[in-house]
Amino acid sequence: MVSISKASGSALATWLHGLDTPALERVLAARPDAASAPEPRSVGELADRLQRPASVALALPRLVLPYLQVAEALAALTPTSRDALAGLLDATDGERARGLEAALEALADRALVWPDGDGLLRVAAPLRQAWSTPLGLGPRLAQLLADTTSDELGRMLAALGVKPAGTGKQKRLAALVDHHTDPARVAALVAGAPAATRKLLERQAGRTPEQPGFIMFGTPQPDSAPGERWALERGLLIRGRHWYGSARMPAEVALTLRGPDWHAPFTPAPPVVRSASVTAVRIEQEAAAAAPAFAAHAASVLRVCSAAPPTRLKAGGIGARELSRIGKAAKCDEIVVRLALETAGAAGLLARDGDRVAATAAYDAWSEEEPADQLAVLLRAWWTLPLTPGGSRDEDGKALPALAGTPPCGGCAQARHGLLAAASRLPAGEGATDPADLGPLIGWHRPLVDELPQDAAPFATLIRESELLGVLALGALSPIGAALLADDVRALADTCRRLLPAATGAARFGSDLTAVVAGTPSAALVALLDSVADREASGAASVWRFGPGSVRRALDAGFTPDAITAELAALAVGPLPQPLSYLIHDTARSHGRARVVSAACVIHGEEPALLAELAAHRTLGRLGLRQLAPTVLISQTPPEQTLAALRSAGYAPVAEKPDGSVRIERAQRTRAANPVPPPRPPGGRSRPRRSADRTADARTADARAAVDLSALAARLRAVAPDAPEPGPRDGRPYDSDTEEIIAGHARKLSFTDVRQLAHAVDDGLAVTIEYVATSGNTTVRTLSRLALDAPYLNAWCHLRDDERVFTLSRIHGVMLG
């Protein structure tokens, strides 16, 4: 849990209050989580929200590379002046200086960086924790020496030959910090050090410092590196009392030893992408070729899953064997199968059904729609997927199942958005010569996104997905991609209808017993041809082939030869070829010559009259008896029930074993197979439906959209900067019983957080919380479907993809959404 000092919070509040209304409105727009319901009631409350670790964690992934690099440099040096920051980044003039200015403005708009009254740049407290060692530097000297005694500081100053202004610890610490922040004095000191010490210092200045461990008992370890004692005596290396491992180098010393020519990484301009001229017409043509092909393949994949639902692995998901079967049946590659399955699962067309993945009722409606509308559904699902569907290998090269319900990957969704954003920034009328060049561009626009371990080139799988869907065409953003990037559902549907032709309901039948459909076949045509023929190819044109086996399959389904011929003729372009008619009728003549009947058991005996009596007995009619021979009856009722019915009617049958011998019947003792299950814990809830999660997220989005940022900014500026935070301590009553109950148990939460959590519980909204587990680790969880069962909170955890119970007293921060 990152604590926020009062000084830092008040400095941010003072800066926010000094902004004009448009500037404050930009901050609220850049950090919408800070303005979520309930609205902040003062600038101080807004500053508190902006400095929460969860809020900062949401803001960082949306920064481009140079903004993130500036934030890291500030996290290493804060507080620092703008000139010192520019020198560190080598951005003192020209294009790099303008890039630094743009980065500082963007970070200020997000309230991650702000100037204080002394002309220094400060950062939000949690931003320093985003990097364990920003720029590979350790803590500042003052932080490392916080637990050092005044006498120890005096000995360091004596070794340096420095006289402090006083004898107190603070005076001595200030003198030592002043000495070590002067590059010239530190360089001269190191130049006069023993050779072993110089090598040690130079080596440690260029490497990432180790995080210290902690010692419960005993004293610090003795010096282990040659020449270390000389540096420890002069404060060039610090070894604290309560950690072990190698000594740590203060950030000021490390920067000096790296030399004046060393600069922190700063890339203000995006990577150059080789491009070629391409017209909008050619882009549309390419997209119009790719999108229908994927729509046809996706329809085939889902049709296969509907007819023969794939079996799930014990560990979850669809394994490589089932993926191979589906791809072979649908005539498409594995990446297309994975893409179709994941998008269909997200769209609700597929769902778990025990140990299988089966089509849903929504699939039946989807299969009847036009190809353009089908593709639009899958595209919208792909755009919001919290994973990369084409990911087929893990870090160890092992195959990954599809539809495995893996934890959401925010970096994967950001990578998808970054790809389209990068493609949209290419010059008008140009596309990337090699689409792989867009990979580094994604890394510049979204530096914190996740790459797949299987990719040899950056984001190769994601780029391939985009080309298959028609989102990218000829290295440029297609109209489909532009509609997705704009998040315009209507434009996406219109674009798909323009690029994808309507489904056709006619086929051309050949004398070679084939049927060819140009374009996308309609659902009715596909259903008919799939029932009476075998598909051989799909894509721009689909081909089916007729054979005795496929025609017999239609006859088994209840078709008659005349009905098959009539339905095919109604869809044919021209008359049906004679060979096809002959095939249908020849197959029908041999169909049904042998018959198979189901039977639960068989009754036989040596007296035909007795068996005829049993077949005609009215009381035994419920058994479904049927006489196949004078001495053989079959029953549609299982053997035990048939025996009981015959004995009840006054007959004396005996049961036989499979080998024909008489079965001896003995009374069986019945015992419970399993112990009684334990009682359900109080407050337990069943697994919530995904639709409920989406409803909660939608309500949260609506609550945020309802905030009038201009009016909110004006109200916040009107409140005095030192307005006290309202709460029960100053006599303000609780708004609801829920609020009072939460406040009684969640002692770590501020009054604002209590109110937000109560608001989420009462209105069914999703929240993001900072939670301290029993292990002591702090995690950030997104929860929905909240149910208060004090002192616990039952909720659906999106990180674990499961129902979880949270202790209210362990919740240390709350943010809606």
Side-chain angles (χ1 to χ4, degrees):
M1 179 74 183
V2 178
S3 61
I4 302 172
S5 67
K6 292 183 179 180
S8 176
S10 61
L12 176 58
T14 302
W15 176 73
L16 288 171
H17 199 270
L19 298 177
D20 56 19
T21 299
L24 188 56
E25 186 178 346
R26 285 198 302 272
V27 172
L28 293 168
R31 300 279 291 279
D33 51 283
S36 58
E39 296 179 3
R41 306 190 185 196
S42 67
V43 173
E45 185 177 327
L46 176 62
D48 176 65
R49 290 192 188 183
L50 290 172
Q51 291 212 96
R52 292 175 184 163
S55 178
V56 173
L58 288 174
L60 289 180
R62 296 175 173 85
L63 299 179
V64 296
L65 180 61
Y67 300 173
L68 202 64
Q69 290 171 331
V70 172
E72 182 179 3
L74 285 168
L77 300 181
T78 189
T80 188
S81 67
R82 188 195 180 286
D83 292 341
L85 177 66
L88 180 65
L89 297 173
D90 191 22
T92 55
D93 55 19
E95 191 66 31
R96 295 178 69 85
R98 288 189 289 274
L100 174 59
E101 195 63 36
L104 289 174
E105 289 180 3
L107 293 173
D109 283 345
R110 291 162 175 79
L112 297 174
V113 174
W114 64 90
D116 64 9
D118 299 326
L120 299 178
L121 297 174
R122 295 187 177 274
V123 301
L127 189 62
R128 178 60 178 83
Q129 306 299 323
W131 295 271
S132 58
T133 55
L135 301 182
L137 300 174
R140 306 296 291 268
L141 180 63
Q143 182 179 348
L144 289 175
L145 294 176
D147 295 333
T148 307
T149 65
S150 179
D151 291 342
E152 290 171 331
L153 291 173
R155 286 194 291 271
M156 290 181 186
L157 291 171
L160 293 170
V162 175
K163 280 192 173 185
T167 58
K169 177 178 177 179
Q170 295 303 322
K171 296 288 186 180
R172 289 176 173 176
L173 179 59
L176 188 61
V177 170
D178 180 66
H179 180 276
H180 280 11
T181 51
D182 186 340
R185 287 194 283 184
V186 173
L189 178 64
V190 174
T197 302
R198 287 200 306 272
K199 290 181 181 179
L200 172 65
L201 293 174
E202 290 170 0
R203 184 172 63 251
Q204 192 152 340
R207 73 182 185 187
T208 301
E210 297 177 4
Q211 292 296 325
F214 291 91
I215 295 179
M216 296 300 294
F217 304 101
T219 58
Q221 292 179 338
D223 302 339
S224 56
E228 187 177 87
R229 177 169 293 281
W230 191 93
L232 289 170
E233 290 172 347
R234 290 157 179 80
L236 298 176
L237 295 176
I238 307 297
R239 185 190 294 280
R241 284 187 176 80
H242 303 294
W243 76 66
Y244 63 89
S246 61
R248 308 181 74 187
M249 178 175 287
E252 299 92 332
V253 176
L255 284 173
T256 298
L257 294 181
R258 290 179 183 182
D261 296 331
W262 182 87
H263 298 288
F266 183 53
T267 314
V272 177
V273 177
R274 297 169 297 167
S275 61
S277 178
V278 58
T279 63
V281 174
R282 289 187 59 206
I283 293 174
E284 279 208 13
Q285 289 174 344
E286 184 72 14
F294 174 76
H297 284 312
S300 298
V301 168
L302 298 186
R303 198 177 301 114
V304 171
C305 294
S306 174
T311 303
R312 297 175 62 241
L313 300 172
K314 289 183 178 179
I318 301 175
R321 182 175 298 179
E322 285 285 15
L323 291 174
S324 177
R325 176 184 70 82
I326 296 170
K328 186 175 181 180
K331 305 292 191 300
C332 55
D333 297 334
E334 181 182 336
I335 187 173
V336 179
V337 175
R338 287 179 175 272
L339 193 53
L341 290 177
E342 295 288 0
T343 53
L349 308 181
L350 296 176
R352 298 177 185 175
D353 183 22
D355 62 347
R356 304 181 306 166
V357 175
T360 64
Y363 164 76
D364 297 327
W366 178 87
S367 64
E368 299 294 332
E369 295 179 351
E370 287 291 328
D373 297 328
Q374 292 179 342
L375 179 62
V377 171
L378 300 181
L379 284 169
R380 290 197 300 272
W382 175 78
W383 182 240
T384 57
L385 265 179
L387 53 89
T388 301
S392 58
R393 298 284 168 180
D394 62 11
E395 293 82 355
D396 300 325
K398 296 181 180 179
L400 294 172
L403 289 176
T406 53
C409 168
C412 295
Q414 287 290 330
R416 192 177 304 118
H417 297 176
L419 171 61
L420 270 61
S424 69
R425 290 181 173 88
L426 293 176
E430 293 189 10
T433 305
D434 184 358
D437 290 346
L438 294 173
L441 204 58
I442 300 173
W444 190 88
H445 285 287
R446 294 289 190 275
L448 296 182
V449 298
D450 294 338
E451 292 189 54
L452 296 182
Q454 69 191 37
D455 287 343
F459 305 101
T461 301
L462 175 60
I463 294 172
R464 176 64 179 146
E465 288 180 8
S466 302
E467 292 176 325
L468 288 171
L469 291 167
V471 174
L472 287 182
L474 300 177
L477 192 67
S478 74
I480 293 176
L484 285 175
L485 188 60
D487 203 17
D488 191 333
V489 177
R490 184 183 297 277
L492 178 63
D494 294 342
T495 302
C496 289
R497 293 190 186 104
R498 188 177 78 250
L499 297 182
L500 273 71
T504 179
R508 293 185 178 275
F509 295 90
S511 299
D512 59 348
L513 300 180
T514 59
V516 180
V517 179
T520 304
S522 66
L525 180 58
V526 168
L528 175 61
L529 293 179
D530 278 348
S531 66
V532 75
D534 296 319
R535 187 188 293 232
E536 286 193 338
S538 59
S542 301
V543 180
W544 280 265
R545 182 171 295 279
F546 296 87
S550 64
V551 174
R552 184 178 62 248
R553 186 173 67 237
L555 295 171
D556 290 340
F559 285 92
T560 64
D562 293 337
I564 295 175
T565 304
E567 292 197 29
L568 292 178
L571 302 174
V573 178
L576 287 181
Q578 239 180 11
L580 179 57
S581 299
Y582 288 161
L583 172 66
I584 294 171
H585 288 88
D586 285 348
T587 305
R589 274 193 291 272
S590 61
H591 184 260
R593 293 173 64 183
R595 295 174 179 267
V596 177
V597 63
S598 63
C601 64
V602 177
I603 305 171
H604 66 94
E606 298 178 357
E607 303 177 34
L610 175 60
L611 294 179
E613 179 183 332
L614 294 178
H617 203 297
R618 291 186 178 182
T619 305
L620 301 177
R622 65 180 184 278
L623 297 180
L625 299 178
R626 178 181 172 190
Q627 191 162 13
L628 298 182
T631 58
V632 179
L633 294 176
I634 60 171
S635 172
Q636 300 299 321
T637 308
E640 299 301 329
Q641 298 179 25
T642 300
L643 282 170
L646 291 175
R647 289 167 178 167
S648 178
Y651 299 94
V654 294
E656 285 187 354
K657 296 180 181 179
D659 61 0
S661 61
V662 175
R663 188 183 72 193
I664 305 300
E665 299 183 16
R666 292 187 177 91
Q668 299 292 326
R669 293 186 299 174
T670 303
R671 295 292 183 271
N674 296 304
V676 177
R680 187 181 182 87
R685 296 164 56 244
S686 59
R687 180 186 178 102
R689 296 175 301 186
R690 289 290 185 183
S691 59
D693 290 343
R694 290 194 290 271
T695 301
D697 294 341
R699 294 177 65 179
T700 303
D702 293 342
R704 292 180 180 174
V707 177
D708 186 340
L709 297 181
S710 298
L712 175 58
R715 287 199 303 273
L716 289 173
R717 293 191 70 250
V719 179
D722 57 348
E725 183 186 50
R729 298 184 186 89
D730 59 11
R732 182 181 181 85
Y734 292 107
D735 284 351
S736 65
D737 292 340
T738 304
E739 195 172 301
E740 185 172 0
I741 293 171
I742 293 175
H745 293 88
R747 299 292 185 180
K748 299 293 185 179
L749 292 181
S750 66
F751 181 75
T752 303
D753 285 346
V754 169
R755 177 155 291 173
Q756 286 202 98
L757 184 56
H759 176 70
V761 171
D762 291 338
D763 289 4
L765 303 180
V767 295
T768 298
I769 66 170
E770 294 169 47
Y771 189 72
V772 179
T774 54
S775 62
N777 295 327
T778 300
T779 61
V780 177
R781 306 287 187 96
T782 298
L783 312 178
S784 58
R785 302 294 294 174
L786 309 179
L788 185 61
D789 185 18
Y792 304 109
L793 179 69
N794 298 301
W796 180 261
C797 178
H798 292 259
L799 176 64
R800 301 303 182 195
D801 195 27
D802 198 3
E803 187 86 14
R804 286 291 188 269
V805 179
F806 299 89
T807 305
L808 289 172
S809 61
R810 293 184 175 275
I811 301 176
H812 287 201
V814 179
M815 181 179 58
L816 287 180

